[in-house]
Amino acid sequence: MVSIFTALKEGTSFLRNRNIDTPRLDAEVIMAHILNCSRLHLITDGERALSDDEYAKFLDHIGKRAHGMPVAYITGYKEFMGLKFSTGKGVLIPRCDTEIVAECAIDICKRIEGPIYVCDVCCGSGAIGISIAKYVERAFVTMIDVSKAAADAARENAALNGVGDRAYVIQGDLLSPVAGRKFDIIVSNPPYIKSADIKFLPVDVKDYEPLLALNGGADGLEFYRRLCSVSLECLKADGNIIFEIGYNQNKDVKDIMEKNGFSDIEIYRDLAGRYRCIKGVK
């Protein structure tokens, strides 16, 4: 019989030899998923013998990870803002870098009195919009994505996190489904990778995650232009627009926002010190 410790050591070595960046972490997350326990439990119960079925599942999942499948697709979920999000094929996996976008929106919500109306465009799994609804009880969030897989996942995640009554999902293109409505905040993590750069992304991104959620056009700025051109009509007076941006897109996106009439623009860095979030006011 193989213990938890031994299996983790084997899995870590296997992933490291295949140049996986975080072999021990990935092995632990996979093991914790199989055993339905916390990673801490793996340490406190590390001498426990795995059943043949548990060990076989672990090796199978490690093999998938070694071939590039993201851990979140293997386990079926990812944590974001302390919440659990279901992640299936065809849905962009939430990243911790994006938390600064949600935090920026939540901070703005705290300054608004009464009910707050938020629109999360290109919502993907719903990570940003659902986090806002979860941590701001006065927030009513409309989430929009052109992808049916993403819209279905966001709907599932809203229910999973107990905000299905205040976080609604619409399948559609950008703001077209809410034309005529007014929001306090529009927030978006749009596709922003240059089309020509897709092939240079890590295997676990380019070969597994949806191209629709990655491809930002020839210069990576297509969706910023499209959203900025229509967002003013859907924002209340002094309403805010918040974008996630690529680390080198701050100047270009700021220029697009200014040309479309947004002011008081602020840019924020993520935990790695890279430009990640930009905010403007109508």
Side-chain angles (χ1 to χ4, degrees), residues 183-248:
F183 298 92
D184 296 287
I185 299 171
I186 293 174
V187 62
S188 182
N189 177 14
Y192 57 74
I193 306 298
K194 293 180 181 178
S195 301
D197 289 346
I198 300 289
K199 62 179 177 289
F200 300 115
L201 294 173
V203 170
D204 56 358
V205 177
K206 68 178 181 180
D207 290 352
Y208 288 91
E209 299 203 57
L211 180 64
L212 189 66
L214 299 171
N215 192 345
D219 62 359
L221 302 171
E222 175 184 338
F223 287 88
Y224 299 109
R225 294 192 188 94
R226 291 184 61 198
L227 263 172
C228 284
S229 69
V230 296
S231 290
L232 287 175
E233 296 178 3
C234 289
L235 279 172
K236 296 179 182 179
D238 297 321
N240 286 262
I241 190 166
I242 307 168
F243 288 120
E244 175 165 334
I245 57 174
Y247 73 95
N248 60 352

Side-chain angles (χ1 to χ4, degrees), residues 43-276:
I43 298 173
T44 59
D45 200 30
E47 297 297 341
R48 200 256 286 179
L50 296 171
S51 69
D52 290 341
D53 183 57
E54 289 169 340
Y55 185 48
K57 284 182 179 178
F58 178 71
L59 294 180
D60 174 70
H61 290 354
I62 287 293
K64 291 177 180 178
R65 180 66 187 119
H67 281 90
M69 182 179 285
V71 173
Y73 287 162
I74 295 171
T75 64
Y77 65 86
K78 182 68 181 289
E79 187 174 294
F80 180 89
M81 293 287 290
L83 306 175
K84 189 174 182 178
F85 288 85
S86 173
T87 52
K89 188 176 181 181
V91 181
L92 189 72
I93 298 169
R95 268 88 169 161
C96 61
D97 291 341
T98 303
E99 291 188 355
I100 189 173
V101 181
E103 290 167 353
C104 180
I106 290 169
D107 184 59
I108 292 171
C109 286
K110 294 176 181 177
R111 307 175 209 161
I112 301 173
E113 296 182 359
I116 304 160
Y117 296 93
V118 180
C119 188
D120 178 4
V121 188
C122 304
C123 68
S125 66
I128 297 173
I130 290 168
S131 296
I132 295 168
K134 186 69 174 182
Y135 294 115
V136 183
E137 293 183 355
R138 294 178 291 112
F140 295 84
V141 182
T142 300
M143 299 182 288
I144 304 172
D145 203 291
V146 71
S147 162
K148 183 179 185 300
D152 289 345
R155 201 170 287 115
E156 176 186 349
N157 284 322
L160 177 67
N161 287 286
V163 294
D165 59 334
R166 290 186 294 106
Y168 315 95
V169 183
I170 305 173
Q171 184 184 351
D173 183 44
L174 300 185
L175 287 164
S176 58
V178 292
R181 291 177 58 186
K182 297 288 186 180
F183 298 92
D184 296 287
I185 299 171
I186 293 174
V187 62
S188 182
N189 177 14
Y192 57 74
I193 306 298
K194 293 180 181 178
S195 301
D197 289 346
I198 300 289
K199 62 179 177 289
F200 300 115
L201 294 173
V203 170
D204 56 358
V205 177
K206 68 178 181 180
D207 290 352
Y208 288 91
E209 299 203 57
L211 180 64
L212 189 66
L214 299 171
N215 192 345
D219 62 359
L221 302 171
E222 175 184 338
F223 287 88
Y224 299 109
R225 294 192 188 94
R226 291 184 61 198
L227 263 172
C228 284
S229 69
V230 296
S231 290
L232 287 175
E233 296 178 3
C234 289
L235 279 172
K236 296 179 182 179
D238 297 321
N240 286 262
I241 190 166
I242 307 168
F243 288 120
E244 175 165 334
I245 57 174
Y247 73 95
N248 60 352
Q249 294 176 319
N250 53 301
K251 293 180 180 179
D252 290 329
V253 177
K254 181 180 179 182
D255 183 56
I256 292 170
M257 293 170 70
E258 288 177 337
K259 286 180 178 178
N260 281 276
F262 290 96
S263 60
D264 298 326
I265 295 172
E266 296 182 55
I267 302 169
Y268 306 87
R269 297 176 187 265
D270 60 23
L271 292 175
R274 293 182 174 182
Y275 293 117
R276 185 63 59 186

